[in-house]
């Protein structure tokens, strides 16, 4: 008898492992359902009905509920980040890497850094980091991102990429990459964009 060299084992063993895994999964789901059902009082539960919440306070205490719900701020710096400030930040040509550098400089969250920088721009004040200065211009992925942004920001669309691809004899994906590279380096394309430029 020759020993097996396969790493997968026998078909019976594979089937047995599958049955055990399925059984454990079903058993775990059953236990979770049972635990969840224990917390619901049986008298108040009907089919497709959720259990009423138990009172959180003593019946003798007076409970005052605010007229408007109080929302927990899950995002540090969210109060700094408004749509107007966001538009100012991104419109000035800043990138996420710049926001990260500002957050590190100011020792604040990423969202708060973008909000603060946006407000500085709206107030006509200088931001301590220039737009794009935090980008690694030796990284091919960064350059490809900027070239792609140049294509879309100029107002070119997927359909324009198809047209350019037919003109240059390449597929639409390659045409958009070539066009983005040309736009990023200051060259014009042989067709006008069918969309609206972002700036």
């Amino acid at each position: 008898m020759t020993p097996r060299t396969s790493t997968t084992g026998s078909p019976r063993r594979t089937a047995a492992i599958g049955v055990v895994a399925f059984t454990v999964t079903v058993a775990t789901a059953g236990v979770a359902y049972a635990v969840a059902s224990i917390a619901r009082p049986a008298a108040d539960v009907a089919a497709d009905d959720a259990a009423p919440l138990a009172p959180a306070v003593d019946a003798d205490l007076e409970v005052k509920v605010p007229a408007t719900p109080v929302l927990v701020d899950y995002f540090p710096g969210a109060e700094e980040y408004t749509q107007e400030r966001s538009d100012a930040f991104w419109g000035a040509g800043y990138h996420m890497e710049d926001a990260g550098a500002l957050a590190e400089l100011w020792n604040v969250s990423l969202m708060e850094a973008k909000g603060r920088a946006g407000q500085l721009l709206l107030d006509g004040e200088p931001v301590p980091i220039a737009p794009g200065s935090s980008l690694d211009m030796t990284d091919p992925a960064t350059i490809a991102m900027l070239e792609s942004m140049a294509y879309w920001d100029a107002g070119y669309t997927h359909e324009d990429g198809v047209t350019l691809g037919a003109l240059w004899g390449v597929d639409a994906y390659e045409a958009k990459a070539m066009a983005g590279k040309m736009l990023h380096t200051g060259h014009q394309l042989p067709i006008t964009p069918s969309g609206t430029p972002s700036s």
Side-chain angles (χ1 to χ4, degrees):
M1 179 182 229
T2 58
R4 294 185 184 266
T5 58
S6 172
T7 58
T8 59
S10 71
R12 287 184 185 177
R13 182 176 179 184
T14 304
I17 290 172
V19 168
V20 169
F22 177 77
T23 304
V24 169
T25 303
V26 170
T28 304
V31 169
Y33 180 77
V35 168
S37 297
I38 291 172
R40 296 173 66 179
D44 293 340
V45 178
D48 298 327
D49 190 352
L53 296 174
V57 294
D58 201 0
D60 296 334
L61 295 176
E62 181 181 341
V63 178
K64 293 184 180 180
V65 179
T68 58
V70 178
L71 300 177
V72 178
D73 182 15
Y74 290 104
F75 301 106
E79 67 279 353
E80 291 280 340
Y81 196 64
T82 64
Q83 187 63 49
E84 182 182 28
R85 292 175 180 180
S86 170
D87 292 345
F89 181 80
W90 298 117
Y94 282 94
H95 297 272
M96 189 58 77
E97 292 82 358
D98 298 323
L102 288 168
E104 189 176 318
L105 176 69
W106 290 330
N107 197 27
V108 297
S109 71
L110 195 62
M111 188 174 284
E112 186 172 347
K114 291 185 288 184
R116 281 188 188 181
Q119 187 59 52
L120 287 172
L121 292 165
L122 290 171
D123 293 342
E125 298 291 324
V127 178
I129 292 177
S133 63
S134 302
L135 296 174
D136 179 5
M137 296 309 287
T138 61
D139 181 20
T142 300
I143 295 169
M145 175 198 66
L146 292 173
E147 291 170 354
S148 176
M149 288 173 57
Y151 179 83
W152 298 110
D153 289 350
Y156 287 94
T157 65
H158 173 72
E159 290 75 21
D160 295 331
V162 171
T163 303
L164 289 169
L167 183 65
W168 293 333
V170 296
D171 65 19
Y173 177 79
E174 190 174 345
K176 290 185 280 187
M178 291 169 55
K181 185 175 288 205
M182 290 175 67
L183 291 167
H184 183 67
T185 56
H187 295 91
Q188 290 192 353
L189 299 183
I191 64 170
T192 58
S194 60
T196 305
S198 65
S199 56

